[in-house]
Amino acid sequence: MNTQQFERVHSGKGFIAALDQSGGSTPKALLQYGVQEDSYSNEEEMYVLVHEMRTRIIKSPAFNSEHILGAILFENTMDRTIDGMHTADYLWEKKGIVPFLKIDKGLAEQENGVQLMKPMPELDELLKRAVQRNIFGTKMRSVIHEANPGGIKKVVEQQFAVGKQIIKAGLVPIIEPEVDIHSKDKEVSEQLLKDEILTQLSKLDPDDRIMLKLSIPTQNNFYSDLMSDPHVVRVVALSGGYSQAEANDKLAHNHGLIASFSRALSQGLTAQQSDEEFNAMLAKSVQDIYEASIQ
């Protein structure tokens, strides 16, 4: 583990940028960016375009280590280059931003009020490649739709089981059991989720380190006790479908919780903007998210 990167993620001021849209979410990300589906005819052309979008974001002067601690990449992005350097190396060596990798393969069908992660039979090989590419940590997402105790227990158990596999590979896992912000019993789900997380944290070995990526809680500062657990490097928040303004406002009321936004970060950015317009829009988003993250 890179100790300089660890200290930056653990105690630095700023937020984690999520640049990890993949699979079915990539066309949506491109549409948001102003690139229509008829602009590409196959998956490879689509990924070339999305890498151009991400490259433009990463190379922008607004995307800097003064405000941004880390960036989460999609596997395809990890394997591509920026100015002749693999993306993770460019992030760290040129920008001082810690690279993470999204590793999950999407969500299974909903059952017991939750969506578990799909199986990842090739995970060990992916983790080896991530280490070779100088990735610091990983991210994996499940979704909780209802306050179903059995379903939530399964989500957390699966997340921590895979997390231990990631720790063994020498990486820091970001465990992301998202609670749907539209859930009618969101607050109850959050209590069940926290209880299960605390149970799993108590089972970790003393030197095991994880991060948590959670929906912004209904009750302000609800995850403060998770932040103080010695196994937890950092607790970050997803925007979960809130607009940037909503997400920032809610985040600012949760001391110690920092952003890890995707759609809320890229909101308003388009391929049609001049570099001056693009950089100005990104700079405002970065500044606003940063300010909400350091409350």
Side-chain angles (χ1 to χ4, degrees):
M1 184 187 299
N2 184 315
T3 55
Q4 188 179 357
Q5 292 179 347
F6 180 90
E7 287 305 318
R8 178 155 176 72
V9 171
H10 178 55
S11 56
K13 283 190 174 183
F15 66 93
I16 309 288
L19 306 176
D20 59 328
Q21 300 96 339
S22 61
S25 63
T26 301
K28 295 176 185 176
L30 285 172
L31 276 173
Q32 183 183 20
Y33 184 55
V35 176
Q36 304 301 313
E37 291 191 38
D38 60 7
S39 301
Y40 49 90
S41 56
N42 56 49
E43 190 176 76
E44 174 58 21
E45 290 180 4
M46 177 184 74
Y47 284 132
V48 167
L49 289 171
V50 82
H51 187 63
E52 288 175 358
M53 177 187 76
R54 289 168 178 153
T55 297
R56 193 181 188 193
I57 291 172
I58 291 169
K59 291 185 70 174
S60 170
F63 199 86
N64 59 68
S65 60
E66 181 182 351
H67 302 103
I68 300 170
L69 299 175
I72 305 171
L73 308 174
F74 172 47
E75 181 182 350
N76 190 282
T77 308
M78 176 185 75
D79 290 333
R80 293 182 185 270
T81 61
I82 299 176
D83 292 352
M85 302 174 69
H86 280 108
T87 307
D89 291 332
Y90 185 92
L91 278 168
W92 180 243
E93 294 178 24
K94 297 294 185 181
K95 291 283 188 166
I97 292 171
V98 180
F100 293 82
L101 176 68
K102 168 188 158 66
I103 60 162
D104 68 78
K105 301 302 180 184
L107 299 169
E109 292 298 316
Q110 184 172 332
E111 187 176 352
N112 296 321
V114 302
Q115 287 180 276
L116 297 172
M117 295 181 288
K118 289 181 178 178
M120 294 176 273
E122 300 174 358
L123 179 57
D124 281 334
E125 182 57 36
L126 177 58
L127 295 176
K128 286 179 185 176
R129 286 176 44 227
V131 171
Q132 292 168 355
R133 292 278 188 260
N134 297 319
I135 294 290
F136 171 79
T138 64
K139 191 214 80 160
M140 51 193 175
R141 173 176 171 259
S142 314
V143 179
I144 296 165
H145 298 282
E146 299 171 7
N148 182 305
I152 292 172
K153 182 180 177 67
K154 285 184 178 180
V155 161
V156 179
E157 287 178 343
Q158 183 193 41
Q159 284 274 348
F160 274 81
V162 177
K164 289 176 183 177
Q165 191 176 349
I166 294 159
I167 292 168
K168 188 177 179 181
L171 300 166
V172 176
I174 300 178
I175 287 171
E176 183 184 7
E178 173 183 349
V179 177
D180 186 346
I181 63 169
H182 303 295
S183 171
K184 65 181 185 300
D185 45 18
K186 177 174 177 281
E187 190 169 6
V188 181
S189 291
E190 288 165 349
Q191 182 63 63
L192 292 168
L193 173 62
K194 186 167 76 167
D195 290 345
E196 291 295 338
I197 290 173
L198 288 168
T199 297
Q200 291 298 321
L201 286 172
S202 71
K203 297 177 181 180
L204 292 177
D205 291 338
D207 293 334
D208 290 346
R209 296 292 181 268
I210 67 155
M211 294 173 64
L212 293 165
K213 182 169 179 175
L214 305 171
S215 303
I216 303 171
T218 305
Q219 179 184 327
N220 291 338
N221 299 309
F222 183 66
Y223 293 127
S224 295
D225 46 351
L226 296 179
M227 295 176 194
S228 62
D229 188 282
H231 297 99
V232 178
V233 180
R234 206 75 186 250
V235 182
V236 305
L238 56 102
S239 51
Y242 291 125
S243 69
Q244 186 188 114
E246 287 178 300
N248 286 341
D249 180 65
K250 292 177 182 296
L251 183 67
H253 290 88
N254 286 271
H255 181 71
L257 189 64
I258 67 171
S260 178
F261 294 170
S262 175
R263 280 172 293 179
L265 172 64
S266 58
Q267 183 177 306
L269 301 177
T270 69
Q272 292 74 32
Q273 288 168 330
S274 67
D275 286 345
E276 184 178 359
E277 292 169 330
F278 181 93
N279 292 335
M281 175 65 72
L282 182 58
K284 184 180 186 309
S285 293
V286 166
Q287 183 66 39
D288 289 348
I289 295 169
Y290 172 79
E291 289 177 358
S293 294
I294 61 172
Q295 299 298 321

